[in-house]
Amino acid sequence: MSSNIEVQRICQYCSKEFTARTTTTLFCSHKCSSTAYKAKVRARKVEGSNLETQRIKTQPIEMLKAKEFLSVRDVSILIGCSRQNVYTLINTGKLKATNILEKKTIVKRSDLDKLFEQTEMPQTESNHKPIHYDILDCYNLTEVQDKYRISESALQQFIKRHSIPKIKKGRFAYVPKKEIENYFNIYNSKIQ
């Protein structure tokens, strides 16, 4: 049964105007139709391949997140640093770990999570509750250097030695005015 309809349409593939015999015709020719179909199939295959690649890339991390005990290599993958940095965290006591064999160090997942809870906010010695410092009540490191005439490396050592909380905000690091003044006043009184 033939149709007497003649409708002006635009080809969905080559964008040329053509006369169609039905209102649902999308392409001007069989060639445009098959080329568009092949491009659609190819795009589906590429998208499927990209999703599979992404799944394979994230699968090890998802598996590591589910593990209760992690090796040093697992920890380095999870937090995105080198194994040497993980060993540094362990040696400085920031991260708890257990040597079960001579060359096998294991970290509990809960201890790794605690590491990040500790670094978010400084804690007081007495009650272990986080202290919130306002940036207005802090000096940046350059201000401390200028005020107390101390070099950058000496200041860094002083902050580390006395466990003075250091707050990072953008590119700058800040230390609480009250804490730094207390330590320098005590230090200066000992010298005199």
Side-chain angles (χ1 to χ4, degrees), residues 11-111:
C11 179
Q12 297 292 313
Y13 181 73
C14 68
S15 302
K16 290 181 182 174
E17 189 174 333
F18 69 99
T19 304
R21 301 290 229 152
T22 66
T23 56
T24 58
T25 305
L26 299 176
F27 304 103
C28 64
S29 65
H30 178 69
K31 181 180 178 185
C32 283
S33 174
S34 62
T35 308
Y37 174 76
K38 287 176 184 176
K40 185 177 171 183
V41 169
R42 188 180 315 113
R44 242 189 255 139
K45 284 182 180 179
V46 168
E47 183 181 347
S49 177
N50 288 341
L51 288 173
E52 180 67 16
T53 302
Q54 191 63 31
R55 186 187 65 78
I56 290 170
K57 282 170 105 177
T58 58
Q59 185 179 13
I61 292 177
E62 295 302 320
M63 288 173 51
L64 291 177
K65 286 181 181 178
K67 288 172 74 175
E68 185 177 351
F69 298 100
L70 304 165
S71 68
V72 172
R73 181 178 176 273
D74 295 342
V75 173
S76 70
I77 290 170
L78 270 178
I79 63 176
C81 69
S82 69
R83 290 190 324 222
Q84 189 59 43
N85 285 342
V86 175
Y87 281 117
T88 302
L89 288 172
I90 293 168
N91 293 336
T92 58
K94 292 182 179 178
L95 180 62
K96 290 182 185 176
T98 305
N99 282 343
I100 57 172
L101 295 171
E102 188 176 324
K103 291 191 176 185
K104 186 69 172 174
T105 303
I106 298 293
V107 177
K108 279 181 79 173
R109 176 59 199 242
S110 58
D111 290 334

Side-chain angles (χ1 to χ4, degrees), residues 3-16:
S3 172
N4 294 333
I5 300 174
E6 288 188 2
V7 181
Q8 289 303 110
R9 308 273 309 193
I10 295 185
C11 179
Q12 297 292 313
Y13 181 73
C14 68
S15 302
K16 290 181 182 174

